[in-house]
Amino acid sequence: MCIRDSRVHGEMSTGQESNKLPPELTEVVRGKTLRTKFVMILILAELAVILLYGFFCQYQGIMANNAALDSFAESAINLIYPFYQDVHVMMFIGFGFLMTYLRTNCWTAIGINFMIGAFAIQVYVLWKGLLDNTWSGIWAKIPVDVNMLMNCDFAVSTVLISYGGILGKVSPYQMIVITIFEVFFYALNENVVYKSLQVIDLGGSLTRHAFGGYFGIILSWIISPTKGHVTSKTHSTYNSNLFAMIGTLFLWMFWPSFNAGTASGSAQHRAIVNTVLSLSSGCISAFVASSLFRGGRFNMEDILNATLAGGVAMGINGELVQQPWVALLIGFFCGFISSIGFTYIGPFFAKHLRIYDTAGIHHLHGMPGVAGGFILSLIHI
């Protein structure tokens, strides 16, 4: 009897062990579960957006056959749509390719960049309309036109900036949830800054760059490990840096449209010229600083990012700077401090504050954005 019991026990143990999946199959099952969860969340989110658009959104001034409205629509297309196209290229090609510098996440980076950008456009319309109605106290349907689309891309830029800080650390379905919440807080911050505080920030140095940068830094701090950090996946390769450089060049060329797209007249003219000058000067200072701080050699991390810092700072100052030498000085200063951030501040954050800023959004968007606000205060003294 004892022998039979032991044999039965042995058979049961063998059966239990046979039910255990090997680690490889466990990962496969886990991957399928995550993909299923992602698909369900994305389908439900998109269906919810379609339903809400049906109830709360309508086209503005582009449906009626009216000569005055036709003239207004034509004017909007001629004045705004060229800038909108430039900003659209920045979001989906510029930011998309800039994110490809990681050797293990380049496909994921550009793919998720595409997905969350498309989703943020739709979500911003709803959040912005809700908050505008709340601010005015008048509840009306949300107008959808080319002006709204331009503002949608500005909201997209904020989400993509934050994504740079958590690149390679979050799953696609987590990014969908983050996008929904961040776009709400961006729209709220936009209304507070523009409507309540009456701050002029056409290029979004504070409302887009600083907000998106520090939102991403907070997310990075929350999800980063308490001890240790796998750095091999954050390295770049020759080819990944080459693709990322495509993104940098697109951003660098089209940044004047980002800063001047919502301005008009002479203010728009000044914003374009000042942004070009600031970007040019910032590019030179980034190369100088990279050589000084990196032992006489150019570092691709600096060249990919710090060369854009002048455009970030000029967002809030583009229409206000009255002398070309001031625009050059702002760009040179911001390119320099951005390079300092990538060389010294980033490693300090990782070592002492447990903040692993994957794409260096603090040094490209956070610091230059805050510097732009500080420079604005000096201009008004």
Side-chain angles (χ1 to χ4, degrees):
M1 193 70 178
C2 294
I3 296 176
R4 182 178 297 175
D5 288 343
S6 64
R7 288 180 61 185
V8 172
H9 179 74
E11 289 172 2
M12 291 178 61
S13 299
T14 304
Q16 290 174 351
E17 290 175 0
S18 64
N19 289 333
K20 292 182 179 179
L21 295 175
E24 296 82 4
L25 289 179
T26 302
E27 287 298 318
V28 170
V29 172
R30 181 174 177 272
K32 287 183 178 179
T33 303
L34 290 176
R35 283 194 295 272
T36 302
K37 185 184 296 186
F38 163 67
V39 169
M40 292 304 300
I41 288 177
L42 197 56
I43 290 175
L44 292 175
E46 187 63 27
L47 290 176
V49 167
I50 293 172
L51 185 64
L52 291 171
Y53 267 61
F55 282 107
F56 300 113
C57 297
Q58 68 178 9
Y59 284 130
Q60 177 73 16
I62 60 178
M63 293 300 292
N65 293 320
N66 181 285
L69 290 177
D70 287 346
S71 176
F72 173 79
E74 184 177 353
S75 176
I77 291 297
N78 292 334
L79 294 176
I80 299 172
Y81 191 68
F83 288 94
Y84 168 72
Q85 286 180 306
D86 293 348
V87 175
H88 219 49
V89 169
M90 290 178 67
M91 297 304 104
F92 293 97
I93 297 181
F95 276 109
F97 276 91
L98 182 59
M99 300 290 188
T100 62
Y101 79 96
L102 291 180
R103 67 179 183 85
T104 57
N105 290 92
C106 54
W107 286 12
T108 303
I110 198 169
I112 294 182
N113 185 93
F114 193 7
M115 179 192 68
I116 62 177
F119 187 64
I121 289 173
Q122 304 170 62
V123 173
Y124 174 78
V125 172
L126 296 171
W127 285 134
K128 180 62 174 173
L130 172 65
L131 291 170
D132 282 351
N133 285 339
T134 303
W135 243 256
S136 65
I138 301 173
W139 293 91
K141 285 206 169 185
I142 303 167
V144 181
D145 55 13
V146 70
N147 291 284
M148 175 64 85
L149 293 182
M150 174 71 88
N151 290 322
C152 287
D153 269 6
F154 293 148
V156 169
S157 70
T158 305
V159 178
L160 297 183
I161 288 168
S162 298
Y163 177 51
I166 54 178
L167 182 60
K169 306 175 188 177
V170 291
S171 64
Y173 80 88
Q174 287 174 322
M175 274 310 306
I176 290 294
V177 176
I178 289 172
T179 299
I180 294 172
F181 284 98
E182 182 170 5
V183 170
F184 168 76
F185 286 114
Y186 165 75
L188 178 62
N189 178 63
E190 195 178 36
N191 276 22
V192 170
V193 172
Y194 292 150
K195 295 186 177 182
S196 298
L197 302 180
Q198 301 290 311
V199 174
I200 300 174
D201 186 14
L202 295 179
S205 293
L206 295 176
T207 53
R208 298 165 207 157
H209 296 288
F211 176 84
Y214 288 107
F215 193 97
I217 287 295
I218 293 173
L219 287 176
S220 180
W221 177 73
I222 292 172
I223 67 177
S224 293
T226 55
K227 291 183 180 180
H229 183 56
V230 179
T231 58
S232 61
K233 292 185 178 181
T234 63
H235 293 164
S236 60
T237 64
Y238 179 88
N239 288 331
S240 66
N241 278 332
L242 185 63
F243 277 101
M245 195 65 193
I246 295 174
T248 295
L249 292 175
F250 268 97
L251 290 170
W252 197 89
M253 290 187 296
F254 289 111
W255 210 291
S257 295
F258 188 85
N259 284 353
T262 56
S264 60
S266 59
Q268 189 176 63
H269 193 177
R270 286 194 304 274
I272 292 172
V273 175
N274 284 330
T275 302
V276 171
L277 293 177
S278 184
L279 282 166
S280 301
S281 180
C283 178
I284 299 302
S285 70
F287 275 91
V288 170
S290 183
S291 180
L292 285 176
F293 302 141
R294 305 283 191 173
R297 301 182 65 182
F298 299 136
N299 183 277
M300 278 303 292
E301 187 178 30
D302 303 335
I303 307 308
L304 289 172
N305 297 281
T307 51
L308 303 171
V312 175
M314 195 51 66
I316 197 171
N317 297 294
E319 66 168 304
L320 302 175
V321 172
Q322 304 293 322
Q323 296 294 331
W325 69 267
V326 177
L328 290 170
L329 181 62
I330 291 173
F332 192 87
F333 171 72
C334 289
F336 212 86
I337 63 170
S338 182
S339 295
I340 292 175
F342 281 100
T343 307
Y344 300 110
I345 299 178
F348 177 85
F349 277 4
K351 182 177 180 180
H352 299 286
L353 302 180
R354 195 177 55 83
I355 298 175
Y356 303 102
D357 182 3
T358 308
I361 59 174
H362 175 261
H363 326 311
L364 172 55
H365 300 281
M367 289 199 307
V370 173
F374 178 72
I375 292 167
L376 175 68
S377 65
L378 294 180
I379 292 175
H380 282 285
I381 291 178

